[in-house]
Amino acid sequence: NKMPKGGDLHNHLVGSLYSEFLLELAIKASLYFDPVTNCFSQDQKPQTIPASDIPKKPLLLNQFSNAISMRAPPSINGAIGHDHFMYKCFGIIESIVSHVDPKELVEAVRKHARLQNVCYLELMVGLN
């Protein structure tokens, strides 16, 4: 048996989702990506791109990955790390998860917690 990791406290549900999973959700919901705002919507506009095209276009995939995570340096993200995470990442994530059943989100987080041997998980819903 593996030693349990313990627990994750004060864990935001949407902040616990992996970027690959979020992209899968956007594709499944037939959302459109706006490369100017990095957000998703159900509205097709001249500047939007189907989420299903993102994995096929390396530059777009790189832009999405940088926008939705902390992997790029702040100079690329246009904000200091904390502000990017709290005010940009969460907004982009929310533009995807608002079109998804919350049970699917919780199950994805539970699955990853199990794989990491987490025995207690305390999830928060909302940005505050």
Side-chain angles (χ1 to χ4, degrees), residues 5 8 11-26 40 61 64-65 68-70 85 89 92-93 96-97 104-118 121:
K5 179 179 177 182
D8 279 342
N11 206 359
H12 291 264
L13 174 63
V14 298
S16 302
L17 301 168
Y18 287 37
S19 59
E20 298 85 357
F21 176 69
L22 289 163
L23 183 54
E24 288 174 20
L25 292 175
F40 291 80
L61 181 59
F64 164 76
S65 298
I68 205 162
S69 71
M70 294 298 297
F85 182 69
C89 290
I92 296 165
I93 294 168
I96 298 170
V97 301
E104 188 173 357
L105 306 177
V106 171
E107 186 51 39
V109 173
R110 284 180 48 186
K111 175 185 170 189
H112 283 114
R114 257 192 320 268
L115 292 172
Q116 295 174 8
N117 228 14
V118 172
L121 184 63

Side-chain angles (χ1 to χ4, degrees), residues 21-42:
F21 176 69
L22 289 163
L23 183 54
E24 288 174 20
L25 292 175
I27 293 169
K28 189 169 128 182
S30 300
L31 299 179
Y32 292 90
F33 179 70
D34 185 334
V36 175
T37 65
N38 293 315
C39 287
F40 291 80
S41 71
Q42 293 178 320

